[in-house]
């Protein structure tokens, strides 16, 4: 009988491959087994549990983080493949606002009640931050289309779009 533990936490150990990330602006080193995802590294090794595990198949967007400034599903990224990269999670965004406070998107989500259960919210906010950086969304329709990879089972899409549009308008990027 195989008695090995196959949990992500057990996959992180002294025998893995050494990697270094710029994680929310700080250097983070770890040893990871080749099959460990960035999501599991963030949650199990770095204890950054703001990034959520949803479908674990890249279909819901709950695990969205910014990798070198671009939004990615962290459940689809092997940790060893992002060695040397900069990763920003919802925790990192929380300290990136004016004066070290909330990111304007986090405040906008609160102002527009853009969350209900809140499980998808970290991924939605990271995706919206990446979307704004991409500079492709200027209208409500474009925001909805470019955020379509992030699912909200509570159906707060109208409020999420309102929050993103308010930041685009504040930053002079909306049509």
């Amino acid at each position: 009988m195989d008695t090995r533990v196959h949990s992500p936490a057990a996959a992180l150990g002294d025998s893995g491959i050494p990697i270094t990330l710029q994680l929310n602006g700080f250097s983070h080193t770890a040893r990871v087994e080749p099959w460990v995802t960035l999501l599991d590294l963030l949650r199990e090794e770095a204890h950054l549990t703001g990034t959520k595990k949803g479908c674990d198949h890249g279909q819901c967007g709950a695990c969205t983080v910014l990798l070198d400034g671009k939004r990615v599903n962290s459940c689809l990224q092997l940790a060893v493949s992002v060695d040397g990269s900069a990763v920003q999670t919802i925790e990192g965004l929380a300290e990136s606002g004016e004066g070290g406070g909330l990111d304007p998107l986090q405040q906008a989500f609160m102002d527009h009640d853009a969350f209900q259960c809140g499980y998808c919210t970290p991924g939605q906010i990271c995706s919206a931050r990446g979307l704004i950086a991409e500079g492709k969304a200027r209208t409500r329709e474009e925001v909805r289309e470019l955020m379509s990879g992030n699912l909200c089972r509570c159906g707060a899409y109208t409020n999420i779009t309102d929050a993103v549009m308010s930041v685009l308008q504040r930053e002079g990027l909306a049509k």
Side-chain angles (χ1 to χ4, degrees):
M1 177 175 165
D2 185 1
T3 58
R4 292 179 292 171
V5 177
H6 296 284
S7 72
L12 305 172
D14 294 335
S15 65
I17 299 167
I19 66 168
T20 301
L21 302 173
Q22 287 299 311
L23 184 52
N24 293 329
F26 297 96
S27 180
H28 181 86
T29 59
R31 298 185 73 84
V32 297
E33 298 298 338
W35 56 82
V36 173
T37 65
L38 175 59
L39 172 61
D40 288 334
L41 173 73
L42 294 172
R43 293 185 57 82
E44 303 294 330
E45 199 329 270
H47 305 290
L48 295 172
T49 57
T51 304
K52 303 300 185 212
K53 183 179 275 194
C55 67
D56 211 19
H57 290 87
Q59 297 176 347
C60 73
C63 65
T64 303
V65 298
L66 299 173
L67 179 64
D68 293 327
K70 297 182 178 173
R71 50 193 174 145
V72 298
N73 291 326
S74 61
C75 72
L76 297 180
Q77 302 290 319
L78 292 175
V80 295
S81 73
V82 300
D83 182 28
S85 298
V87 177
Q88 190 168 30
T89 67
I90 193 68
E91 290 90 346
L93 283 177
E95 299 167 355
S96 67
E98 200 170 301
L102 294 177
D103 182 277
L105 274 166
Q106 292 171 308
Q107 187 61 53
F109 269 62
M110 291 179 2
D111 294 345
H112 293 274
D113 196 22
F115 44 82
Q116 290 181 11
C117 83
Y119 195 81
C120 71
T121 305
Q124 297 275 1
I125 291 173
C126 285
S127 185
R129 177 50 60 208
L131 173 137
I132 290 170
E134 291 166 9
K136 296 177 184 172
R138 304 264 188 247
T139 66
R140 293 184 67 79
E141 292 74 26
E142 291 169 340
V143 167
R144 283 197 300 260
E145 175 64 25
L146 293 170
M147 293 284 293
S148 64
N150 290 80
L151 303 180
C152 172
R153 294 181 184 194
C154 300
Y157 295 115
T158 300
N159 296 13
I160 291 169
T161 304
D162 289 345
V164 175
M165 286 305 299
S166 74
V167 173
L168 285 170
Q169 289 164 349
R170 186 177 322 142
E171 295 181 5
L173 301 172
K175 279 187 184 175

